[in-house]
Amino acid sequence: MFWWAVAFHTEHRFTKDGGVAAPEVEDIFADILERAKALDPANARKWFEELTVLHLDGGSLGIGCPDDTTVQFLQDSCKASFTRAAQQITGHLVTVDFRVEASDKLDSGARGSQPGLNDPISQKKRGTGTLRLHPDYTFDNFVVGPSNRLAHASCVAISQSPGNTYNPLFVYGSSGLGKTHLLHAVCFEAQGKFDHAIIQFLSCEDFVNRFIRAIEEGNLPGFQSQFRTVDMLVIDDVQFLREREHSQEEFFHTFNALYNNGRQIILSADSPPGKIPSLEERLISRFNWGLVTRIDPPSYETRVAIVQKKAHVRGIDIAEEIAGYVARKVHANIRELEGALTSIYAVATTTGQPIDLELARTALEGQIEAAARHINITDIIEVVTGHFDVRLADLQSKRRSQSITEPRQICMYLARNLTRHSLEEIGGHLGGRDHTTVMHACSKISQAKDADPKMNALLNDLTKRITQVPQM
Ligand code: ADP
Ligand code: MG
């Protein structure tokens, strides 16, 4: 038995009402955090150290977070690992709850006096309800190099003075080069600076899906007023507009309404406006009105700096030699660089070895092999639909019966774990679902995997079959 489990069960750890004495709660909580990091290295972050324990009693652990963004990230990505860690450390069944810790140092006085983006609409309440941002995707965490300098500079300029510099801003580049990161960073920055601004950030698919839903529900005016009255509209991956005529038309009117009112529009895509297949001419021309800027694959030096930055964000000590090794091995895509770092960290925590060149080599062998195999979503869907005897059309439909939901969620989970696709892309393959749906599916299946040995065996079996699908 581990020492902390022993320590936890000794009497002095408990107060009379069955809770745990405060200083010891802190210790236990520190152990839980360490354990959670080890259980899910991909989501381990240095800022976990700033989380606080609100209570640990009655089978429940309350964790205090600095803001909504952190709560969302932990809730979506880390709930399963925190729950498991808490149960392992305390030896009890514990549920975990993330909450914004009430802050007594609200600086609304200082901030509230800042002007909004553009009056008078910005006098309305702050539009953060729908703003789901990834806590890692800030300007601070973004490494600037020759490949992304212009895109970065334009995003910074916009965040300082939205609507007045480049409008619209159109950022394009291949997958995994930092478009979404930059878009989130602008929102973070603008949100902090312009307290009352209504900022709307969403993937293009989400826009299209909400539009379709609004039509089905006969609530087009509601949809229109939601998007045409914001101060800043940020839409990621607009290449999803291709071949969607009605959505393009709606988008065109949204664009005009915002543009004519001097509101900021920021768009990203995998190619420049003119190269997005079957995008209407009038949209192409509007997307070109402002600044169109490209992100290229990063140079070796930028890759080294990115590995170091990512290691820092995760609280991992990594020598320059190792960062250089990773940057030489992985060059196509920054998401893969991160994956490499995660593998190294995972091997280091499970073996207890320091991160040296030898360990990095061992860790990356498997990863590079997996990347070379090029598993794609189609392989996954084929194996999963075959196993459950359902059709792809069922998975893509809106049906919510358990017999369809489960295979659909399993596809999402496996795609997230076995491919390099983003949450948005995975949702796109499975009936145009948004990234939060995919995130929810992943955490649900991963919890089921932990709790249910049968699910664990099934996932292992499916994974084996998928990775053995003969490659072209
Ligand atoms: P895209 O939207 O272009 O497909 P993302 O923004 O999702 O790419 O980036 C993929 C991953 O790479 C993210 O984790 C992001 O933080 C990271 N990343 C990309 N560019 C940089 C950079 N310049 N500095 C730090 N991290 C980066
Ligand atoms: Mg993206």
Side-chain angles (χ1 to χ4, degrees):
M1 194 180 243
F2 297 112
W3 68 266
W4 50 76
V6 178
F8 188 84
H9 289 106
T10 57
E11 287 213 329
H12 70 279
R13 284 224 157 194
F14 293 90
T15 55
K16 276 196 200 115
D17 58 1
V20 185
E24 290 168 5
V25 171
E26 302 285 339
D27 293 345
I28 296 168
F29 185 57
D31 291 340
I32 291 175
L33 288 180
E34 276 313 300
R35 180 55 71 92
K37 285 184 183 175
L39 287 172
D40 184 9
N43 285 314
R45 294 292 181 275
K46 188 164 167 50
W47 54 257
F48 283 4
E49 290 160 16
E50 288 156 33
L51 300 173
T52 56
V53 54
L54 300 175
H55 64 265
L56 175 57
D57 48 30
S60 138
L61 167 64
I63 299 180
C65 311
D67 50 42
D68 283 334
T69 307
T70 315
V71 171
Q72 277 163 13
F73 173 79
L74 291 168
Q75 191 72 31
D76 292 334
S77 310
C78 306
K79 183 132 179 160
S81 54
F82 273 67
T83 306
R84 245 173 95 196
Q87 298 187 348
Q88 288 180 1
I89 298 292
T90 63
H92 290 279
L93 215 56
V94 178
T95 59
V96 174
D97 183 30
F98 302 102
R99 247 178 267 160
V100 176
E101 194 176 13
S103 165
D104 45 10
K105 47 180 191 314
L106 276 179
D107 56 345
S108 53
R111 273 191 187 171
S113 59
Q114 287 269 11
L117 279 177
N118 285 292
D119 296 326
I121 288 179
S122 54
Q123 292 305 318
K124 290 182 188 168
K125 72 170 175 40
R126 194 170 158 170
T128 49
T130 48
L131 205 51
R132 291 181 74 91
L133 300 175
H134 192 301
D136 287 353
Y137 293 175
T138 58
F139 283 132
D140 274 353
N141 288 342
F142 192 84
V143 175
V144 184
S147 56
N148 58 29
R149 195 177 304 286
L150 186 57
H152 172 264
S154 31
C155 284
V156 171
I158 285 176
S159 69
Q160 298 306 313
S161 181
N164 295 324
T165 41
Y166 312 109
N167 204 14
L169 173 69
F170 192 101
V171 182
Y172 74 92
S174 317
S175 171
L177 296 185
K179 302 182 293 294
T180 301
H181 186 141
L182 275 180
L183 265 45
H184 280 233
V186 180
C187 293
F188 264 123
E189 196 69 18
Q191 187 188 44
K193 200 167 159 58
F194 304 99
D195 208 17
H196 294 280
I198 301 179
I199 301 174
Q200 180 78 256
F201 174 100
L202 73 172
S203 70
C204 187
E205 267 182 281
D206 204 2
F207 179 88
V208 169
N209 289 334
R210 290 203 214 177
F211 172 59
I212 294 171
R213 210 177 314 136
I215 293 178
E216 283 170 359
E217 290 167 359
N219 186 21
L220 200 53
F223 173 88
Q224 291 171 337
S225 79
Q226 185 184 2
F227 288 103
R228 295 184 190 180
T229 54
V230 299
D231 296 303
M232 181 151 127
L233 181 65
V234 184
I235 301 211
D236 204 3
D237 290 323
V238 292
Q239 72 271 11
F240 276 99
L241 279 178
R242 71 176 150 236
E243 285 152 22
R244 290 188 169 85
E245 279 167 42
H246 284 114
S247 301
Q248 287 195 21
E249 161 126 36
E250 184 59 33
F251 196 81
F252 174 75
H253 294 298
T254 307
F255 185 102
N256 288 344
L258 293 173
Y259 186 86
N260 293 337
N261 280 318
R263 312 293 171 197
Q264 180 69 49
I265 301 162
I266 308 179
L267 309 167
S268 85
D270 61 1
S271 37
K275 292 267 168 62
I276 298 177
S278 70
L279 187 67
E280 284 178 19
E281 211 35 66
R282 56 183 182 169
L283 277 179
I284 297 178
S285 91
R286 272 166 181 75
F287 290 175
N288 278 312
W289 275 354
L291 179 69
V292 176
T293 168
R294 187 175 74 200
I295 304 189
D296 289 314
S299 64
Y300 171 74
E301 290 75 12
T302 308
R303 294 201 302 279
V304 174
I306 291 174
V307 174
Q308 287 171 324
K309 176 69 88 179
K310 293 282 172 196
H312 178 76
V313 169
R314 291 156 183 240
I316 306 171
D317 268 337
I318 187 166
E320 192 163 344
E321 180 193 28
I322 312 287
Y325 173 74
V326 176
R328 272 195 303 279
K329 283 284 177 197
V330 184
H331 19 83
N333 173 319
I334 299 168
R335 209 168 282 131
E336 269 173 42
L337 272 184
E338 275 194 278
L341 186 65
T342 302
S343 306
I344 292 173
Y345 179 59
V347 173
T349 34
T350 41
T351 61
Q353 303 281 320
I355 299 179
D356 57 16
L357 212 48
E358 189 55 39
L359 182 138
R361 266 198 206 110
T362 319
L364 293 201
E365 263 165 26
Q367 220 228 350
I368 290 162
E369 243 173 58
R373 262 186 279 122
H374 281 311
I375 294 163
N376 59 47
I377 291 199
T378 323
D379 300 332
I380 295 175
I381 291 175
E382 216 172 280
V383 170
V384 175
T385 49
H387 175 85
F388 286 93
D389 198 18
V390 290
R391 295 170 310 143
L392 171 60
D394 294 328
L395 299 188
Q396 291 176 330
S397 72
K398 292 212 161 138
R399 289 177 55 195
R400 295 233 182 93
S401 62
Q402 169 80 8
S403 62
I404 302 296
T405 313
E406 188 171 83
R408 184 188 293 138
Q409 291 183 331
I410 288 181
C411 276
M412 291 176 178
Y413 171 87
L414 291 171
R416 187 66 182 150
N417 283 288
L418 300 176
T419 73
R420 281 174 247 138
H421 290 293
S422 65
L423 295 167
E424 283 80 7
E425 288 163 347
I426 296 169
H429 279 275
L430 290 158
R433 291 176 155 81
D434 71 20
H435 71 286
T436 53
T437 309
V438 180
M439 225 141 66
H440 170 73
C442 294
S443 87
K444 195 157 165 226
I445 297 299
S446 124
Q447 280 175 33
K449 178 176 188 249
D450 290 340
D452 176 5
K454 267 201 231 145
M455 176 61 95
N456 189 22
L458 171 64
L459 292 173
N460 286 338
D461 179 47
L462 293 172
T463 305
K464 223 184 274 160
R465 278 151 60 187
I466 290 159
T467 49
Q468 283 164 3
V469 168
Q471 301 300 318
M472 305 285 286

